[in-house]
């Protein structure tokens, strides 16, 4: 059987695009993460109602806009996350953010497998880490979290080994089962748990130590800020930018929102935090187990796919194209590493992890938005790929470091502000300013200095000319969508001159709009 190419090192050509449904199923299954139900309950526990709902919704709207801007360009150009980073940071500098985020998402993959195991042990096995003491139905080693974490990491990871098409089938199972069972959970929580507690769905007090709104917002954003930044890995498979925005809307405004709201509703009604949401004894807990297997499984394979794309791409380009592992080999290597972490019970706490992700990862996403929407917004696909061959894009690195400093300052001086602002200010404010002042960009196009190539290349074409980017090896690989693409591009064309005037006159934008 011929292995399907996953296009880790080159743009996805038009003939290989999958359209709307398969990327949607992958993203929906991905964001149907069981842990998000618990995160929603923690947000509600920290803020109470209605502010808990506001934080959840605000975080998901942010993710929709943030991921949508990156996904728009990935669909238009056919680029995955590593190739977008390579175009923005340069062929040497890009390795650091890609490896950093690929490592983080490998940890997320391991955590999802570990969580699936801990939930099962907490209900049917022995003593789990977070989910309580099980019934003892699973004896001996079968009643331990470590054993099942290793098993689930392999079982769930195998879908990613076989690529995005196999993951779409897992997505079908997750979407159908999780949607039905989430509806059942909400009904049961309101009708069964609510009757017992007398809790109010729309008005509740914080549980334990109160959270700031920034913590709740950051926790909501942190659920999928990593893969929202890496969204190009999935959205480059769509056939148009409209499809790409539709995929992102399903992912965050529907699927992930549903998971967070389910947990938030439970805590508002029940007045407590519970991994099984008061429903572990109903029908022997089988519905809870089905929903967590489906949701954690589809989230696991999405995380592993992201990680494999990143590691495979970096190995290929940093080695000078001498090391080219097959997709399955690289995926299996990532799966083994994640399985070891999961089985070792190294990741058992979620909130510090979320706050770390919400602070660090937007540093990279901000640079991608600043590069593709401001600094190089008029560049042709060929110019964008050529820019990736430049060793280091100094202004992008400066924007990244500035964003990091701002994020740290926010944490120390203004903890009521979301730390994600640091990365966005660095990416869409500092980076374009430095790029303009150092002569890397002019009028929305990279100059010869920014491209790291001759002036003749810079004057050879315009952004309005339809181009087909050349893939490594000379194979034509088009996003097929390089002509002006609708309202968002036209809006940016309209706003960019005003933005440039304000930011360069005032020393940089202080907020992302």
């Amino acid at each position: 059987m011929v292995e399907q190419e996953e296009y880790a090192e080159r743009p996805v050509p038009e003939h290989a695009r999958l359209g709307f449904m398969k990327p949607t199923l992958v993203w929906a299954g991905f964001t149907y993460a069981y842990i998000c139900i618990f995160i929603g309950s923690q947000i509600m526990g920290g803020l109470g109602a209605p502010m808990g709902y506001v934080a959840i919704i605000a975080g998901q709207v942010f993710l929709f806009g943030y991921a949508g801007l990156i996904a728009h360009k990935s669909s238009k150009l056919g680029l995955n996350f590593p190739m977008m980073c390579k175009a923005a940071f340069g062929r040497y500098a890009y390795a650091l953010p890609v490896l950093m985020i690929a490592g983080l998402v490998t940890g997320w993959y391991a955590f999802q497998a570990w969580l699936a195991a801990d939930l099962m042990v907490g209900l049917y096995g022995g003593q789990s880490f977070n989910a309580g003491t099980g019934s003892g139905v699973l004896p001996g080693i079968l009643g331990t979290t470590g054993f099942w974490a290793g098993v689930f990491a392999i079982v769930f990871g195998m879908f990613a080994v076989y690529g995005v098409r196999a993951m779409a089938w897992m997505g079908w199972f997750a979407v159908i089962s999780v949607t039905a069972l989430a509806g059942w959970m909400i009904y049961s929580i309101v009708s069964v748990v609510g009757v017992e507690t007398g809790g109010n769905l729309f008005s509740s007090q914080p549980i334990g130590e109160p959270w700031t709104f920034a913590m709740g917002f950051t926790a909501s954003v942190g659920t999928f800020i990593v893969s929202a930044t890496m969204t190009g890995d999935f959205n480059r498979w769509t056939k148009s930018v409209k499809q790409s925005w539709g995929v992102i809307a399903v992912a965050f405004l529907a699927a992930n929102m549903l998971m967070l709201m389910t947990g938030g509703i439970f805590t508002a009604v029940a007045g407590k935090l519970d991994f099984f949401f008061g429903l572990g004894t109903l029908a022997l807990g089988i519905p809870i187990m089905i929903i967590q297997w489906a949701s954690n499984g589809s989230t696991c394979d999405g995380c592993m796919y992201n990680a494999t794309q990143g590691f495979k791409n970096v190995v290929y380009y940093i080695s000078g194209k001498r090391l080219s592992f097959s997709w399955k080999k690289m995926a299996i290597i990532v799966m083994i590493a994640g399985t070891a972490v999961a089985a070792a019970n190294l990741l058992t706490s979620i909130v510090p992890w979320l706050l770390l992700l919400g602070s660090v990862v937007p540093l990279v996403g901000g640079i991608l938005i600043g590069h593709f929407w401001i600094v190089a917004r008029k560049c042709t696909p060929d110019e964008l790929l050529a820019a990736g061959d430049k060793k280091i894009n100094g202004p992008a690195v400066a924007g990244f470091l500035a964003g990091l400093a701002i994020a740290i300052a926010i944490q120390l001086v203004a903890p009521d502000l979301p730390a994600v602002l640091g990365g966005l200010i660095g990416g869409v404010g500092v980076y374009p300013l430095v790029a303009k002042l150092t002569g890397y960009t002019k009028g929305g196009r990279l100059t010869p200095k920014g491209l790291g190539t001759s002036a003749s290349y810079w004057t050879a074409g315009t952004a309005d000319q339809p181009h087909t980017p050349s893939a490594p090896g000379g194979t034509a690989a088009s996003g097929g969508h390089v002509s002006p693409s609708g309202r968002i591009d036209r809006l940016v064309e309209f706003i960019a001159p005003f933005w440039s005037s304000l930011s360069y006159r005032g020393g940089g934008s202080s907020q992302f709009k």
Side-chain angles (χ1 to χ4, degrees), residues 368-386:
L368 295 184
I369 294 170
H371 184 79
F372 286 94
W373 283 100
I374 301 173
V375 173
R377 69 182 185 277
K378 293 184 179 179
C379 283
T380 66
D382 282 334
E383 288 172 335
L384 290 169
L385 291 177

Side-chain angles (χ1 to χ4, degrees), residues 187-200 266 269-270:
Y187 170 78
S188 300
I189 288 167
V190 173
S191 62
V192 178
V193 179
V195 169
E196 293 179 356
T197 63
N200 190 325
F266 166 77
V269 170

Side-chain angles (χ1 to χ4, degrees), residues 63-104:
L63 284 178
F64 169 73
Y66 172 87
L69 290 173
I70 298 173
H72 181 111
K73 294 298 184 179
S74 72
S75 175
K76 189 174 181 179
L77 301 164
L79 300 179
N80 63 2
F81 167 71
M83 292 197 69
M84 294 183 80
C85 282
K86 186 169 177 284
F89 287 94
R91 75 175 190 270
Y92 289 163
Y94 96 109
L96 178 60
V98 171
L99 291 176
M100 175 187 74
I101 295 184
L104 288 173

Side-chain angles (χ1 to χ4, degrees), residues 467-484:
H467 271 62
T468 298
S470 299
T475 303
S478 171
H481 315 294
V482 295
S483 60

